[in-house]
Coordinates of all heavy atoms in Angstrom, one line a residue:
M1 N 0.8 -1.2 0.0 CA 0.0 0.0 0.0 C 0.9 1.3 0.0 O 0.5 2.2 -0.6 CB -0.9 0.0 1.2 CG -2.0 -1.0 1.2 SD -3.1 -0.9 -0.3 CE -4.0 0.5 0.1
A2 N 2.0 1.2 0.7 CA 2.9 2.4 0.7 C 3.4 2.7 -0.6 O 3.4 3.9 -1.0 CB 4.0 2.2 1.7
A3 N 3.8 1.7 -1.4 CA 4.3 2.0 -2.8 C 3.2 2.5 -3.6 O 3.4 3.4 -4.5 CB 4.8 0.7 -3.4
L4 N 2.0 2.0 -3.5 CA 0.8 2.5 -4.2 C 0.5 4.0 -3.9 O 0.3 4.8 -4.8 CB -0.4 1.6 -4.0 CG -1.7 1.9 -4.8 CD1 -1.4 1.7 -6.2 CD2 -2.8 1.0 -4.3
A5 N 0.6 4.3 -2.7 CA 0.3 5.7 -2.2 C 1.4 6.6 -2.7 O 1.1 7.8 -3.1 CB 0.1 5.8 -0.7
A6 N 2.6 6.2 -2.7 CA 3.8 7.0 -3.1 C 3.8 7.2 -4.6 O 4.0 8.3 -5.1 CB 5.1 6.4 -2.6
D7 N 3.7 6.1 -5.4 CA 3.8 6.2 -6.8 C 3.3 4.9 -7.4 O 4.0 3.9 -7.3 CB 5.3 6.4 -7.2 CG 5.5 6.5 -8.7 OD1 4.5 6.4 -9.5 OD2 6.6 6.8 -9.1
H8 N 2.1 5.0 -8.0 CA 1.5 3.7 -8.4 C 2.3 3.0 -9.5 O 2.2 1.8 -9.6 CB 0.1 4.0 -9.0 CG 0.0 4.5 -10.4 ND1 0.2 5.9 -10.7 CD2 -0.1 3.9 -11.6 CE1 0.1 6.0 -12.0 NE2 -0.1 4.8 -12.5
T9 N 3.2 3.8 -10.2 CA 4.0 3.1 -11.2 C 5.1 2.2 -10.6 O 5.7 1.4 -11.4 CB 4.6 4.2 -12.2 OG1 5.5 5.0 -11.4 CG2 3.6 5.0 -12.8
E10 N 5.3 2.4 -9.4 CA 6.3 1.5 -8.7 C 5.7 0.4 -7.9 O 6.4 -0.5 -7.4 CB 7.2 2.4 -7.7 CG 7.9 3.5 -8.4 CD 9.0 3.0 -9.4 OE1 9.7 2.0 -9.1 OE2 9.2 3.6 -10.4
A11 N 4.4 0.4 -7.8 CA 3.7 -0.7 -7.0 C 3.6 -2.0 -7.9 O 3.5 -1.9 -9.1 CB 2.4 -0.2 -6.6
E12 N 3.5 -3.1 -7.2 CA 3.3 -4.4 -7.9 C 1.8 -4.5 -8.2 O 1.0 -4.7 -7.2 CB 3.8 -5.5 -7.0 CG 5.3 -5.6 -6.9 CD 5.7 -6.8 -6.2 OE1 5.1 -7.9 -6.3 OE2 6.7 -6.7 -5.4
L13 N 1.4 -4.3 -9.4 CA 0.0 -4.4 -9.8 C -0.2 -5.3 -11.0 O 0.8 -5.4 -11.8 CB -0.5 -3.0 -10.2 CG -0.4 -1.9 -9.1 CD1 -0.7 -0.5 -9.8 CD2 -1.3 -2.2 -8.0
D14 N -1.4 -5.9 -11.2 CA -1.6 -6.6 -12.4 C -1.9 -5.6 -13.5 O -2.0 -4.4 -13.3 CB -2.8 -7.6 -12.2 CG -4.1 -7.0 -11.9 OD1 -4.4 -5.8 -12.4 OD2 -4.9 -7.6 -11.2
E15 N -1.9 -6.1 -14.7 CA -2.0 -5.2 -15.9 C -3.3 -4.4 -15.9 O -3.3 -3.2 -16.3 CB -2.0 -6.0 -17.2 CG -0.7 -6.5 -17.6 CD -0.7 -7.2 -19.0 OE1 -1.5 -6.8 -19.8 OE2 0.2 -8.0 -19.2
A16 N -4.4 -4.9 -15.4 CA -5.7 -4.2 -15.4 C -5.6 -3.1 -14.4 O -6.0 -1.9 -14.7 CB -6.8 -5.1 -15.1
D17 N -5.1 -3.3 -13.2 CA -5.0 -2.3 -12.2 C -4.1 -1.2 -12.6 O -4.3 0.0 -12.4 CB -4.6 -2.9 -10.8 CG -5.7 -3.7 -10.2 OD1 -6.9 -3.5 -10.5 OD2 -5.4 -4.5 -9.3
R18 N -2.9 -1.6 -13.2 CA -2.0 -0.6 -13.7 C -2.6 0.3 -14.8 O -2.5 1.5 -14.8 CB -0.7 -1.2 -14.2 CG 0.3 -0.1 -14.7 CD 1.7 -0.6 -14.8 NE 2.2 -1.4 -13.7 CZ 2.7 -0.8 -12.6 NH1 2.6 0.5 -12.4 NH2 3.1 -1.6 -11.6
A19 N -3.3 -0.3 -15.7 CA -4.0 0.4 -16.8 C -5.0 1.4 -16.2 O -5.1 2.6 -16.7 CB -4.6 -0.5 -17.8
M20 N -5.8 1.0 -15.3 CA -6.8 1.8 -14.6 C -6.1 3.0 -14.0 O -6.6 4.2 -14.2 CB -7.6 1.0 -13.6 CG -8.6 1.9 -12.8 SD -9.5 0.9 -11.6 CE -8.1 0.3 -10.5
L21 N -5.1 2.8 -13.2 CA -4.4 3.9 -12.5 C -3.7 4.8 -13.5 O -3.6 6.0 -13.3 CB -3.5 3.3 -11.4 CG -4.3 2.7 -10.3 CD1 -3.3 2.0 -9.3 CD2 -5.2 3.7 -9.5
D22 N -3.1 4.2 -14.5 CA -2.4 5.1 -15.5 C -3.4 6.0 -16.2 O -3.2 7.2 -16.4 CB -1.7 4.2 -16.6 CG -0.5 3.5 -16.1 OD1 0.1 3.9 -15.0 OD2 0.0 2.6 -16.8
Y23 N -4.6 5.4 -16.5 CA -5.7 6.2 -17.1 C -6.1 7.3 -16.2 O -6.2 8.5 -16.6 CB -6.8 5.3 -17.5 CG -8.0 6.1 -18.0 CD1 -8.1 6.6 -19.3 CD2 -9.1 6.3 -17.2 CE1 -9.2 7.2 -19.8 CE2 -10.3 7.0 -17.6 CZ -10.3 7.4 -18.9 OH -11.4 8.1 -19.4
A24 N -6.3 7.0 -15.0 CA -6.8 8.1 -14.0 C -5.7 9.1 -13.8 O -6.1 10.3 -13.8 CB -7.1 7.4 -12.6
A25 N -4.5 8.8 -13.8 CA -3.4 9.7 -13.6 C -3.3 10.6 -14.9 O -3.2 11.8 -14.8 CB -2.0 9.0 -13.4
R26 N -3.4 10.0 -16.0 CA -3.3 10.8 -17.3 C -4.5 11.7 -17.4 O -4.4 12.9 -17.8 CB -3.3 9.8 -18.5 CG -3.1 10.4 -19.8 CD -2.7 9.2 -20.8 NE -3.1 9.5 -22.1 CZ -2.3 10.2 -22.9 NH1 -1.1 10.7 -22.5 NH2 -2.7 10.4 -24.2
L27 N -5.7 11.2 -17.0 CA -6.9 12.0 -17.1 C -6.8 13.2 -16.1 O -7.3 14.3 -16.4 CB -8.1 11.2 -16.7 CG -9.5 11.9 -16.8 CD1 -9.8 12.4 -18.2 CD2 -10.6 10.9 -16.3
T28 N -6.1 13.0 -15.0 CA -5.9 14.1 -14.0 C -4.9 15.1 -14.5 O -5.1 16.3 -14.4 CB -5.5 13.5 -12.7 OG1 -6.6 12.6 -12.2 CG2 -5.3 14.5 -11.6
R29 N -3.8 14.6 -15.0 CA -2.7 15.5 -15.3 C -2.8 16.2 -16.7 O -2.5 17.3 -16.9 CB -1.4 14.7 -15.3 CG -1.0 14.3 -13.9 CD 0.3 13.5 -13.8 NE 0.5 13.1 -12.5 CZ 0.8 11.8 -12.2 NH1 0.9 10.9 -13.1 NH2 1.0 11.5 -10.9
T30 N -3.3 15.4 -17.7 CA -3.4 15.9 -19.1 C -4.7 15.5 -19.7 O -4.7 14.7 -20.7 CB -2.1 15.4 -19.9 OG1 -2.1 14.0 -19.8 CG2 -0.8 16.0 -19.4
P31 N -5.8 16.0 -19.2 CA -7.1 15.5 -19.7 C -7.3 15.7 -21.2 O -7.9 14.9 -21.9 CB -8.1 16.2 -18.9 CG -7.4 17.4 -18.4 CD -5.9 17.0 -18.2
G32 N -6.7 16.8 -21.8 CA -6.9 17.1 -23.2 C -6.2 16.2 -24.1 O -6.4 16.2 -25.3
E33 N -5.3 15.3 -23.5 CA -4.6 14.4 -24.3 C -5.2 13.0 -24.4 O -4.7 12.1 -25.1 CB -3.1 14.3 -23.8 CG -2.4 15.6 -24.0 CD -0.9 15.5 -23.5 OE1 -0.4 14.4 -23.2 OE2 -0.3 16.6 -23.4
I34 N -6.3 12.8 -23.7 CA -7.0 11.5 -23.7 C -7.6 11.3 -25.1 O -8.3 12.2 -25.6 CB -8.1 11.4 -22.6 CG1 -7.4 11.5 -21.2 CG2 -8.9 10.1 -22.7 CD1 -6.6 10.3 -20.8
T35 N -7.5 10.1 -25.6 CA -8.0 9.8 -26.9 C -8.8 8.5 -26.9 O -8.7 7.8 -25.9 CB -6.9 9.8 -28.0 OG1 -6.1 8.6 -27.8 CG2 -6.1 11.0 -28.1
A36 N -9.4 8.2 -28.0 CA -10.1 6.9 -28.1 C -9.1 5.7 -27.9 O -9.4 4.6 -27.4 CB -10.7 6.7 -29.5
T37 N -7.8 5.9 -28.2 CA -6.8 4.9 -28.0 C -6.6 4.6 -26.5 O -6.5 3.4 -26.2 CB -5.4 5.4 -28.6 OG1 -5.6 5.7 -30.0 CG2 -4.4 4.3 -28.4
D38 N -6.7 5.6 -25.7 CA -6.7 5.3 -24.2 C -7.8 4.4 -23.8 O -7.7 3.5 -23.0 CB -6.7 6.6 -23.5 CG -5.5 7.5 -23.8 OD1 -4.4 7.0 -23.4 OD2 -5.7 8.6 -24.3
V39 N -9.0 4.7 -24.3 CA -10.2 3.9 -23.9 C -10.1 2.5 -24.5 O -10.4 1.5 -23.8 CB -11.5 4.6 -24.5 CG1 -12.7 3.8 -24.2 CG2 -11.6 6.0 -23.8
E40 N -9.6 2.4 -25.7 CA -9.4 1.0 -26.3 C -8.4 0.2 -25.5 O -8.5 -1.0 -25.3 CB -9.0 1.2 -27.7 CG -10.1 1.6 -28.7 CD -11.3 0.8 -28.6 OE1 -11.2 -0.5 -28.5 OE2 -12.4 1.3 -28.7
A41 N -7.4 0.9 -24.9 CA -6.4 0.2 -24.1 C -7.0 -0.4 -22.9 O -6.7 -1.5 -22.4 CB -5.2 1.1 -23.7
L42 N -8.0 0.3 -22.3 CA -8.7 -0.2 -21.1 C -9.6 -1.4 -21.5 O -9.7 -2.4 -20.8 CB -9.6 0.9 -20.5 CG -8.8 2.0 -19.8 CD1 -9.7 3.2 -19.5 CD2 -8.0 1.5 -18.6
R43 N -10.3 -1.3 -22.7 CA -11.1 -2.4 -23.1 C -10.3 -3.6 -23.4 O -10.7 -4.7 -23.1 CB -11.8 -2.0 -24.4 CG -13.0 -1.0 -24.2 CD -13.8 -0.9 -25.5 NE -14.8 0.1 -25.3 CZ -14.9 1.3 -25.9 NH1 -14.0 1.6 -26.9 NH2 -15.8 2.1 -25.7
A44 N -9.1 -3.4 -23.9 CA -8.2 -4.5 -24.2 C -7.8 -5.3 -22.9 O -7.3 -6.4 -22.9 CB -6.9 -4.1 -24.9
R45 N -7.9 -4.6 -21.8 CA -7.5 -5.2 -20.5 C -8.7 -5.7 -19.7 O -8.7 -6.0 -18.5 CB -6.7 -4.2 -19.7 CG -5.3 -4.1 -20.3 CD -4.4 -3.3 -19.5 NE -3.0 -3.4 -20.1 CZ -2.7 -2.8 -21.3 NH1 -3.6 -2.1 -22.0 NH2 -1.4 -2.8 -21.7
G46 N -9.9 -5.7 -20.4 CA -11.1 -6.3 -19.9 C -12.1 -5.4 -19.3 O -13.1 -5.9 -18.8
F47 N -11.9 -4.1 -19.4 CA -12.9 -3.2 -18.8 C -14.0 -2.9 -19.9 O -13.7 -2.7 -21.0 CB -12.2 -1.8 -18.5 CG -11.3 -2.0 -17.3 CD1 -9.9 -1.9 -17.6 CD2 -11.7 -2.1 -16.0 CE1 -9.0 -2.0 -16.5 CE2 -10.8 -2.2 -15.0 CZ -9.4 -2.2 -15.2
D48 N -15.2 -3.0 -19.4 CA -16.4 -2.6 -20.3 C -16.6 -1.1 -20.2 O -16.0 -0.4 -19.4 CB -17.6 -3.5 -19.9 CG -18.2 -3.2 -18.5 OD1 -17.8 -2.2 -17.9 OD2 -19.0 -4.1 -18.1
D49 N -17.6 -0.7 -21.0 CA -17.9 0.7 -21.1 C -18.3 1.3 -19.8 O -18.0 2.4 -19.4 CB -18.9 1.0 -22.2 CG -18.4 0.8 -23.6 OD1 -17.1 0.8 -23.7 OD2 -19.2 0.8 -24.5
R50 N -19.1 0.6 -19.0 CA -19.6 1.0 -17.7 C -18.4 1.3 -16.8 O -18.3 2.3 -16.1 CB -20.6 0.0 -17.1 CG -21.0 0.3 -15.7 CD -22.3 0.9 -15.7 NE -22.7 1.3 -14.3 CZ -23.8 1.0 -13.7 NH1 -24.7 0.3 -14.3 NH2 -24.1 1.5 -12.5
A51 N -17.5 0.3 -16.7 CA -16.3 0.5 -15.8 C -15.5 1.7 -16.3 O -15.0 2.4 -15.4 CB -15.5 -0.8 -15.9
I52 N -15.3 1.8 -17.6 CA -14.5 3.0 -18.1 C -15.2 4.3 -17.7 O -14.6 5.2 -17.3 CB -14.2 2.8 -19.6 CG1 -13.4 1.6 -19.8 CG2 -13.6 4.1 -20.1 CD1 -13.3 1.2 -21.3
H53 N -16.5 4.3 -17.9 CA -17.3 5.5 -17.5 C -17.1 5.8 -16.0 O -16.9 7.0 -15.6 CB -18.8 5.3 -17.8 CG -19.6 6.3 -17.2 ND1 -20.1 6.2 -15.9 CD2 -20.0 7.5 -17.6 CE1 -20.8 7.3 -15.6 NE2 -20.8 8.1 -16.6
D54 N -17.2 4.8 -15.2 CA -17.0 5.0 -13.8 C -15.6 5.5 -13.4 O -15.5 6.4 -12.6 CB -17.3 3.7 -13.0 CG -18.8 3.3 -13.1 OD1 -19.6 4.1 -13.5 OD2 -19.1 2.2 -12.6
M55 N -14.6 4.9 -14.1 CA -13.2 5.4 -13.8 C -13.1 6.9 -14.2 O -12.6 7.7 -13.4 CB -12.2 4.7 -14.7 CG -11.8 3.4 -14.3 SD -10.7 2.7 -15.6 CE -11.4 1.1 -15.8
C56 N -13.7 7.3 -15.3 CA -13.6 8.7 -15.8 C -14.4 9.6 -14.8 O -14.0 10.6 -14.4 CB -14.2 8.7 -17.2 SG -14.0 10.4 -17.9
A57 N -15.6 9.1 -14.4 CA -16.5 9.9 -13.6 C -15.8 10.1 -12.2 O -15.8 11.3 -11.6 CB -17.8 9.3 -13.4
I58 N -15.2 9.1 -11.6 CA -14.6 9.2 -10.3 C -13.4 10.1 -10.4 O -13.2 11.0 -9.5 CB -14.3 7.8 -9.7 CG1 -15.6 7.1 -9.4 CG2 -13.4 7.9 -8.5 CD1 -15.5 5.6 -9.1
A59 N -12.5 9.9 -11.4 CA -11.3 10.8 -11.5 C -11.8 12.2 -11.7 O -11.2 13.1 -11.1 CB -10.4 10.3 -12.6
G60 N -12.7 12.4 -12.6 CA -13.2 13.8 -12.8 C -13.8 14.4 -11.6 O -13.6 15.6 -11.4
Y61 N -14.6 13.6 -10.8 CA -15.2 14.2 -9.6 C -14.2 14.6 -8.6 O -14.3 15.7 -8.1 CB -16.1 13.1 -9.0 CG -16.7 13.6 -7.7 CD1 -17.7 14.5 -7.6 CD2 -16.1 13.0 -6.5 CE1 -18.1 14.9 -6.3 CE2 -16.6 13.5 -5.2 CZ -17.6 14.4 -5.2 OH -18.0 14.8 -4.0
Y62 N -13.2 13.8 -8.4 CA -12.1 14.2 -7.4 C -11.3 15.4 -7.9 O -11.0 16.3 -7.1 CB -11.2 13.0 -7.1 CG -11.8 12.1 -6.1 CD1 -12.5 11.0 -6.4 CD2 -11.6 12.5 -4.7 CE1 -13.0 10.2 -5.4 CE2 -12.1 11.6 -3.7 CZ -12.9 10.5 -4.1 OH -13.4 9.7 -3.1
A63 N -11.1 15.5 -9.2 CA -10.4 16.7 -9.8 C -11.3 17.9 -9.6 O -10.8 19.0 -9.1 CB -10.1 16.5 -11.3
F64 N -12.6 17.8 -9.8 CA -13.5 18.9 -9.6 C -13.5 19.4 -8.2 O -13.4 20.6 -7.9 CB -14.9 18.5 -10.1 CG -16.0 19.4 -9.7 CD1 -16.2 20.6 -10.4 CD2 -16.9 19.2 -8.6 CE1 -17.2 21.5 -10.1 CE2 -17.9 20.0 -8.3 CZ -18.0 21.2 -9.0
V65 N -13.7 18.4 -7.3 CA -13.8 18.8 -5.8 C -12.5 19.4 -5.3 O -12.5 20.4 -4.6 CB -14.1 17.5 -5.0 CG1 -14.0 17.8 -3.5 CG2 -15.6 17.1 -5.3
N66 N -11.4 18.9 -5.8 CA -10.1 19.4 -5.4 C -9.9 20.8 -5.9 O -9.4 21.7 -5.2 CB -8.9 18.5 -5.8 CG -8.8 17.3 -4.9 OD1 -9.1 17.4 -3.7 ND2 -8.4 16.2 -5.5
R67 N -10.3 21.1 -7.1 CA -10.2 22.4 -7.7 C -11.1 23.4 -7.0 O -10.7 24.6 -6.8 CB -10.4 22.4 -9.2 CG -9.1 22.0 -9.9 CD -9.3 21.4 -11.2 NE -8.1 20.8 -11.8 CZ -7.6 19.7 -11.5 NH1 -8.1 18.9 -10.5 NH2 -6.5 19.2 -12.0
I68 N -12.3 23.0 -6.6 CA -13.2 23.9 -5.9 C -12.6 24.2 -4.5 O -12.5 25.4 -4.1 CB -14.6 23.2 -5.7 CG1 -15.3 23.1 -7.0 CG2 -15.4 24.0 -4.7 CD1 -15.7 24.4 -7.6
A69 N -12.1 23.2 -3.8 CA -11.5 23.4 -2.5 C -10.2 24.3 -2.7 O -10.1 25.3 -1.9 CB -11.1 22.1 -1.9
D70 N -9.4 24.1 -3.6 CA -8.2 24.9 -3.8 C -8.6 26.3 -4.2 O -8.0 27.3 -3.7 CB -7.3 24.3 -5.0 CG -6.6 23.1 -4.6 OD1 -6.6 22.7 -3.4 OD2 -6.1 22.4 -5.5
G71 N -9.6 26.5 -5.1 CA -10.1 27.8 -5.5 C -10.7 28.6 -4.4 O -10.7 29.9 -4.4
L72 N -11.2 28.0 -3.4 CA -11.8 28.7 -2.2 C -10.8 28.7 -1.0 O -11.2 29.3 0.0 CB -13.1 28.0 -1.8 CG -14.2 28.0 -2.8 CD1 -15.4 27.1 -2.4 CD2 -14.6 29.4 -3.2
G73 N -9.6 28.2 -1.2 CA -8.6 28.3 -0.1 C -9.0 27.4 1.1 O -8.6 27.7 2.2
V74 N -9.7 26.3 0.8 CA -10.1 25.4 1.9 C -8.8 24.7 2.4 O -8.1 24.1 1.6 CB -11.1 24.4 1.4 CG1 -11.4 23.3 2.5 CG2 -12.4 25.1 1.0
E75 N -8.6 24.7 3.7 CA -7.5 24.0 4.3 C -7.8 22.5 4.4 O -8.9 22.1 4.8 CB -7.2 24.6 5.6 CG -6.7 26.0 5.6 CD -5.3 26.2 5.0 OE1 -4.5 25.3 5.2 OE2 -5.1 27.2 4.3
R76 N -6.8 21.6 4.2 CA -7.0 20.2 4.3 C -7.1 19.8 5.8 O -6.3 20.3 6.6 CB -5.9 19.5 3.6 CG -5.9 18.0 3.7 CD -4.8 17.3 3.1 NE -4.8 16.0 3.5 CZ -4.0 15.0 3.0 NH1 -3.2 15.3 2.1 NH2 -4.1 13.8 3.5
E77 N -8.0 18.9 6.1 CA -8.0 18.4 7.4 C -7.0 17.2 7.6 O -6.9 16.4 6.7 CB -9.4 17.8 7.7 CG -10.5 18.8 8.0 CD -11.8 18.1 8.5 OE1 -11.7 17.0 9.1 OE2 -12.8 18.6 8.1
D78 N -6.2 17.2 8.6 CA -5.4 16.1 8.9 C -6.2 15.1 9.7 O -6.6 15.4 10.8 CB -4.1 16.5 9.7 CG -3.2 17.3 8.8 OD1 -3.1 17.0 7.6 OD2 -2.4 18.2 9.3
R79 N -6.3 13.9 9.1 CA -7.1 12.9 9.8 C -6.1 11.8 10.3 O -5.3 11.2 9.6 CB -8.1 12.2 8.9 CG -9.1 13.2 8.5 CD -10.2 12.5 7.7 NE -11.2 13.5 7.4 CZ -12.3 13.3 6.8 NH1 -12.6 12.0 6.4 NH2 -13.2 14.2 6.5
K80 N -6.2 11.6 11.6 CA -5.3 10.5 12.2 C -6.2 9.5 12.9 O -7.2 9.9 13.5 CB -4.4 11.2 13.2 CG -3.4 12.1 12.5 CD -2.5 12.8 13.5 CE -1.6 13.8 12.8 NZ -0.8 14.6 13.6
G81 N -5.8 8.3 12.8 CA -6.5 7.3 13.5 C -7.2 6.3 12.7 O -7.3 6.0 11.7

């Protein structure tokens, strides 16, 4: 879990999990560069359209919420325990 949290590209993952996380990272960092080829790569690893939609929606939602919080200067809560 520590490797996954630090850098998913260094974690031991199966091909499907790596593809999913690579897609989410790419969608977060460079959304304008996502193409049909990215979606086809997910399908090739066994994801159906619903799963791909869900990946996209969840990554997009977190990006949206983080930008709203950043734009309003919301301080992050430190959660321990």
Side-chain angles (χ1 to χ4, degrees):
M1 290 304 286
L4 185 60
D7 180 357
H8 81 275
T9 64
E10 299 296 321
E12 289 185 37
L13 301 169
D14 63 33
E15 283 188 30
D17 287 339
R18 181 163 312 281
M20 174 182 60
L21 292 173
D22 286 346
Y23 173 78
R26 188 166 154 83
L27 183 61
T28 299
R29 293 181 183 127
T30 55
E33 294 179 13
I34 297 290
T35 67
T37 302
D38 296 296
V39 175
E40 289 304 320
L42 292 169
R43 285 189 185 115
R45 288 185 175 73
F47 294 105
D48 63 13
D49 288 345
R50 172 105 187 226
I52 296 166
H53 169 271
D54 290 351
M55 283 177 223
C56 186
I58 291 166
Y61 172 75
Y62 276 95
F64 170 76
V65 170
N66 285 325
R67 278 157 187 78
I68 293 292
D70 289 345
L72 296 174
V74 174
E75 296 290 325
R76 179 183 166 168
E77 282 186 34
D78 287 329
R79 294 187 179 182
K80 297 179 182 175

